[in-house]
Amino acid sequence: MQRYKTVPDYLAGHGEWRPMLDRLRAVMNGSGLEETVKWGAPCYTLNGKNLVGLVAFKDFVSIWFHQGALLRDERGVLVNAQEGRTKALRQWRLQSEDEIDEALLRAYVKETIENQRQGREIKADRNKPLQIPDELARALSEHHEVREQFNALSLGKRREYADHIAEAKREETRTRRIEKIMPMILAGHGLHDKYKK
């Protein structure tokens, strides 16, 4: 996946979705939020807090509401993209430009801004126990230096690695993921460090 540094670059890199992205961007830029790029995609913030993002996928464009679970969503357009994993994040998926309801989007963004100003927030569960999948436990027990470096990582980073392995449904995928992450762990990096500023 290409990582873009500016919103115009992102839009230019998604030509097939460009008309839809341009319309959504116009609504967002009229909202009073600050436009920036996070994780290589357009993100809209208030006082440095991420509120809304735009992402083009292969089959749809998604509007991400970082605290979307707080929105009333009376029309039922928001979905949890990772059921059981994310508590607050919700997305609105659009497959064609005629699905864009600018008035509804403005209302959702306005509600999002108001929730932020009132300090309403769903916080991530940081106290859930760390569960190491068997395959990762075996790999760590076989590689002493990697195990030591893994144990030196923050709980959040260890959890990211453990979840990454546990999410794979097939044994081959878990094995391939373990092979990929071992050098990252040994280097003291977290799974998602490259996406963080």
Side-chain angles (χ1 to χ4, degrees):
M1 182 171 85
Q2 183 168 346
R3 297 192 29 87
Y4 298 91
K5 297 198 183 308
T6 69
V7 173
D9 287 346
Y10 187 87
L11 299 175
H14 293 86
E16 70 279 13
W17 297 114
R18 181 71 187 255
M20 186 182 294
L21 289 168
D22 284 340
R23 279 186 62 193
L24 296 172
R25 182 184 189 207
V27 171
M28 297 310 303
N29 283 334
S31 70
L33 295 175
E34 182 180 340
E35 182 178 73
T36 187
V37 173
K38 300 276 180 92
W39 309 284
C43 184
Y44 299 87
T45 67
L46 180 66
N47 299 323
K49 188 77 169 174
N50 302 332
L51 297 188
V52 183
L54 298 178
V55 183
F57 293 99
K58 180 181 176 186
D59 296 325
F60 59 89
V61 169
S62 181
I63 307 165
W64 291 89
F65 292 91
H66 291 265
Q67 291 290 321
L70 294 173
L71 297 175
R72 288 186 291 270
D73 191 28
E74 293 166 358
R75 299 266 293 276
V77 298
L78 301 179
V79 296
N80 186 337
Q82 295 180 313
E83 202 64 53
R85 290 211 51 210
T86 58
K87 290 170 57 176
L89 190 65
R90 295 294 182 271
Q91 67 173 255
W92 182 355
R93 296 176 179 173
L94 303 166
Q95 294 180 312
S96 67
E97 193 174 353
D98 58 334
E99 292 178 8
I100 296 174
D101 184 334
E102 291 183 20
L104 185 60
L105 177 56
R106 280 191 285 277
Y108 279 31
V109 171
K110 182 178 178 183
E111 186 180 353
T112 297
I113 292 169
E114 189 56 35
N115 285 340
Q116 176 61 32
R117 288 187 173 140
Q118 291 177 9
R120 296 186 69 215
E121 179 179 12
I122 298 171
K123 296 193 185 245
D125 184 5
R126 306 258 185 233
N127 296 321
K128 70 177 185 176
L130 175 63
Q131 296 180 336
I132 308 272
D134 293 341
E135 296 89 347
L136 180 57
R138 273 194 301 279
L140 293 173
S141 71
E142 294 170 4
H143 298 90
H144 177 73
E145 288 180 24
V146 178
R147 182 179 66 241
E148 283 186 2
Q149 195 61 42
F150 180 81
N151 290 332
L153 294 172
S154 70
L155 177 61
K157 289 182 180 186
R158 286 182 282 155
R159 186 175 290 121
E160 286 174 355
Y161 281 121
D163 289 350
H164 182 61
I165 301 306
E167 288 166 359
K169 293 177 176 53
R170 296 180 28 215
E171 183 178 344
E172 299 83 27
T173 306
R174 289 190 296 273
T175 300
R176 192 172 55 252
R177 286 183 179 184
I178 287 171
E179 290 170 1
K180 183 178 178 183
I181 67 172
M182 296 294 269
M184 296 168 65
I185 294 170
L186 193 56
H189 299 301
L191 182 65
H192 303 297
D193 284 0
K194 65 181 178 183
Y195 302 113
K196 298 175 183 171
K197 288 188 175 183

